[in-house]
Amino acid sequence: MPARRSTLSREQVMVAALELVDAEGLDALTMRRLGSRLGRDPMTLYRYAPSRADLLDGVAELVLAQLTIPQAPADWAEQLRCTAHDLRTLALAHPHVVPLLVTRPLATPLGLRPLGTLRPLEQLLALLTASGFSPVQALQVYRAYVGFLFGHLLTELQEVVADPDETDDLLRLGLHRLPPREFPLLRSLASELARYDGAAELERGLDVLLVGLAALRG
């Protein structure tokens, strides 16, 4: 009598889905590919995720569940700063998931989104209101903060090196292909672009943003 396979859990399916996305990108995430990765008939996976959309939501929830938002209202700005760097760390670990976190909400009204994707919002609102912001101000802070943060992450992930073996920055970034007369400024910034420091740029942006957000509370 053949050995009986162990029963899968939704979490196991989502972990495998995230591993597939990390390895090959979002387009690779199909029931067929996921079934092959798990050694199961793809049809059996529908009991854990009714659709590919549900798989995408589950992957987003799995990543956001790793984000820690400490509740320390005495220093709300420092908590936002720490959360920003934690999210950046997650983004660099799962770069293919970042576009999903940014664009997936466009397809789903707020109240119909998976609870795991809404918990960071609720936690940040709780932190901000405990710090003296009104609920409306807290929502305004959240929108400005997340808009900046996702914009930064998308920008940082675009900093792809064309040829890492090149020592000349213009060639390393592939900027030598740009017509000099049409892109003189962009070509002239090759060295600056090559020295891009995502963590430092994030800190610089947060310095400006948090000063402005603090004024809302006043």
Side-chain angles (χ1 to χ4, degrees):
M1 184 176 179
R4 186 177 180 182
R5 287 186 177 182
S6 59
T7 303
L8 287 174
S9 67
R10 178 177 167 86
E11 182 179 5
Q12 288 174 307
V13 171
M14 293 308 165
V15 167
L18 177 58
E19 291 173 348
L20 181 57
V21 169
D22 284 342
E24 302 182 42
L26 285 172
D27 289 341
L29 183 57
T30 65
M31 290 297 187
R32 183 180 63 81
R33 295 292 303 281
L34 188 56
S36 176
R37 192 176 190 90
L38 289 165
R40 302 299 175 96
D41 183 336
M43 296 304 296
T44 65
L45 301 183
Y46 284 96
R47 72 184 65 171
Y48 306 102
S51 65
R52 185 174 186 274
D54 191 58
L55 276 180
L56 294 174
D57 287 338
V59 166
E61 283 190 292
L62 192 60
V63 171
L64 288 176
Q66 301 174 55
L67 182 64
T68 302
I69 303 175
Q71 298 296 300
D75 196 353
W76 62 272
E78 186 58 29
Q79 295 304 342
L80 290 188
R81 194 181 295 274
C82 290
T83 299
H85 283 282
D86 286 347
L87 184 57
R88 176 178 177 270
T89 299
L90 281 174
L92 295 180
H94 308 286
H96 294 302
V97 180
V98 174
L100 177 63
L101 298 179
V102 175
T103 62
R104 181 70 186 147
L106 297 176
T108 313
L110 189 64
L112 300 180
R113 294 175 197 168
L115 297 183
T117 65
L118 293 176
R119 287 195 177 95
L121 167 57
E122 182 68 22
Q123 291 169 348
L124 284 170
L125 292 176
L127 169 65
L128 292 166
T129 52
S131 302
F133 291 91
S134 72
V136 171
Q137 289 171 336
L139 183 59
Q140 292 170 341
V141 169
Y142 170 82
R143 286 170 173 163
Y145 173 70
V146 170
F148 159 75
L149 192 49
F150 279 160
H152 169 84
L153 294 176
L154 290 174
T155 298
E156 180 171 359
L157 292 174
Q158 290 178 39
E159 297 289 332
V160 179
V161 173
D163 189 347
D165 294 328
E166 283 287 354
T167 56
D168 183 282
D169 292 333
L170 200 68
L171 299 176
R172 190 163 179 262
L173 298 177
L175 294 175
H176 63 288
R177 298 184 177 89
L178 301 180
R181 291 185 179 181
E182 294 182 49
F183 299 95
L185 293 176
L186 193 53
R187 287 170 58 102
S188 71
L189 288 169
S191 295
E192 186 64 29
L193 289 166
R195 290 196 299 269
Y196 182 84
D197 184 333
E201 290 292 337
L202 179 59
E203 273 294 299
R204 188 176 296 115
L206 287 169
D207 286 342
V208 175
L209 177 69
L210 293 174
V211 169
L213 296 179
L216 283 176
R217 187 173 60 164

